[in-house]
Amino acid sequence: MEQSWRQAKSIFVTMLSAPLFWLVVFFMVPMAVVWLFSFGENRGVVDIAITGTWSNYAHALTPLYLGILWKSIWIAALTTFLCLVIAFPVAMAITFASEKYKAWLLLLIMLPFWTNLLIRTYALIAVLRHEGYVNSLLGMGWSGASHLVAAMGGHPLGDFQPLDLLYNNFAVIIGLVFVNLPFMVLPLYSTLDRMDRSLLEASMDLGGGHLRTVWNIMVPLAMPGIASGILITFIPALGSYLTPDMLGGPDSQMIANIIEGQFKGANNWPFGAALSFVLVYMTFIGIAIQGVIESRSKRERLA
């Protein structure tokens, strides 16, 4: 038995070595280099001296960049909230669907992952632009209503003015919800699918009603999935670059767009690295909060 365990450990180490090597060389080392850059100063076009200065972080905490960071947090929080509101009924529908349709519903949720984000963003532009599907449908409805009013003897409503649905904060939030919604649905479904359904039946038998059962029974049971969904939705939304870059206007830039500008446009890699690691530190805080919530939830279930 001891010999077989040693052999199993050697097989495990052998299988782990390749992905561990990849993780260290292509993730941890580059991240460490960028972290060192955040304590450096520009000495030339491509020359960065690691001096240990905190000036880059001090610059990142000035009112201008704190305002952009706060705006990014607000947009990411609103995106996460909308994803939660939309995803919870979807996850419930998948949970209570028959086994015949459950796999197909999950496939529809995961299908966007099989399409490049750039293509999905261009598709959303086709939907939201002035000549897009939304304004076309609204224009057809407006035209029909105008003809109806004229037929009833009233004055025509005039020409339809397309709505400005692109290149503003509205478009950015719609795009972020569109991109990140599956990240909220999947952990919610995973949690709801494992819950004890006898508790729901007991609540209904005691006259709780559907809404009260959902709020008082399902939501508390789904809290681990809600916490996980919030975390893995909020963090990508906060660090999103492509969606605000393509769907937003000059006043819709988020912190990731500012970081990109520091690396590419301003050629200020130390300051861009400091801004990047401000987001990394916030990510660590979010993961720590999620860990506390999960630990408290486990203690309450065991109590």
Side-chain angles (χ1 to χ4, degrees):
M1 177 66 71
E2 183 179 354
Q3 182 64 26
S4 66
W5 171 243
R6 289 179 179 176
Q7 292 175 354
K9 285 199 298 184
S10 63
I11 294 173
F12 176 75
V13 172
T14 302
M15 295 178 62
L16 182 64
S17 59
L20 185 61
F21 173 80
W22 182 277
L23 178 67
V24 171
V25 173
F26 295 102
F27 178 75
M28 298 184 67
V29 170
M31 287 288 288
V33 171
V34 175
W35 181 72
L36 290 175
F37 281 172
S38 68
F39 297 99
E41 297 178 356
N42 275 336
R43 295 289 174 85
V45 178
V46 292
D47 183 18
I48 299 175
I50 310 300
T51 61
T53 179
W54 289 86
S55 60
N56 297 308
Y57 287 100
H59 191 195
L61 298 179
T62 55
L64 172 63
Y65 296 102
L66 282 179
I68 297 173
L69 180 60
W70 172 249
K71 180 180 180 181
S72 302
I73 293 174
W74 179 83
I75 290 177
L78 181 57
T79 298
T80 305
F81 173 76
L82 293 175
C83 285
L84 178 60
V85 171
I86 298 171
F88 200 91
V90 174
M92 285 178 54
I94 299 175
T95 299
F96 292 106
S98 64
E99 294 298 327
K100 177 181 178 180
Y101 296 106
K102 185 176 294 186
W104 289 103
L105 292 173
L106 287 172
L107 178 64
L108 290 176
I109 294 298
M110 293 185 290
L111 195 60
F113 292 125
W114 300 354
T115 307
N116 187 274
L117 176 59
L118 185 63
I119 296 176
R120 284 184 281 160
T121 305
Y122 275 120
L124 196 58
I125 291 175
V127 172
L128 298 178
R129 63 183 179 179
H130 272 195
E131 302 82 10
Y133 298 114
V134 172
N135 277 312
S136 296
L137 290 174
L138 291 176
M140 292 170 59
W142 184 275
S143 177
S146 180
H147 288 308
L148 180 61
V149 170
M152 296 175 61
H155 293 288
L157 300 178
D159 296 332
F160 172 73
Q161 299 297 323
L163 300 178
D164 293 325
L165 302 177
L166 265 182
Y167 310 122
N168 49 40
N169 290 332
F170 171 81
V172 172
I173 293 173
I174 292 296
L176 290 175
V177 171
F178 174 67
V179 170
N180 293 291
L181 186 60
F183 294 118
M184 184 67 77
V185 173
L186 294 177
L188 283 176
Y189 162 73
S190 177
T191 303
L192 291 175
D193 193 52
R194 298 195 305 266
M195 68 180 176
D196 186 358
R197 300 192 184 186
S198 63
L199 297 175
L200 306 181
E201 297 173 359
S203 175
M204 297 294 295
D205 292 341
L206 293 173
H210 290 86
L211 291 179
R212 181 174 293 182
T213 299
V214 169
W215 183 254
N216 292 333
I217 305 298
M218 291 189 68
V219 171
L221 290 176
M223 281 308 298
I226 292 174
S228 298
I230 288 174
L231 184 66
I232 65 176
T233 302
F234 178 80
I235 292 174
L238 180 61
S240 179
Y241 161 74
L242 183 65
T243 301
D245 187 62
M246 296 187 65
L247 300 180
D251 297 329
S252 305
Q253 299 296 291
M254 295 177 65
I255 191 65
N257 303 105
I258 304 301
I259 293 172
E260 185 267 348
Q262 296 300 319
F263 278 99
K264 294 181 63 176
N267 197 34
N268 191 352
W269 287 34
F271 181 54
L275 285 174
S276 301
F277 267 86
V278 168
L279 293 184
V280 173
Y281 302 145
M282 292 178 63
T283 301
F284 288 159
I285 293 173
I287 293 174
I289 292 174
Q290 187 212 16
V292 170
I293 293 174
E294 288 187 351
S295 299
R296 184 175 301 174
S297 178
K298 289 181 180 179
R299 287 198 300 268
E300 290 177 354
R301 289 199 300 267
L302 295 175

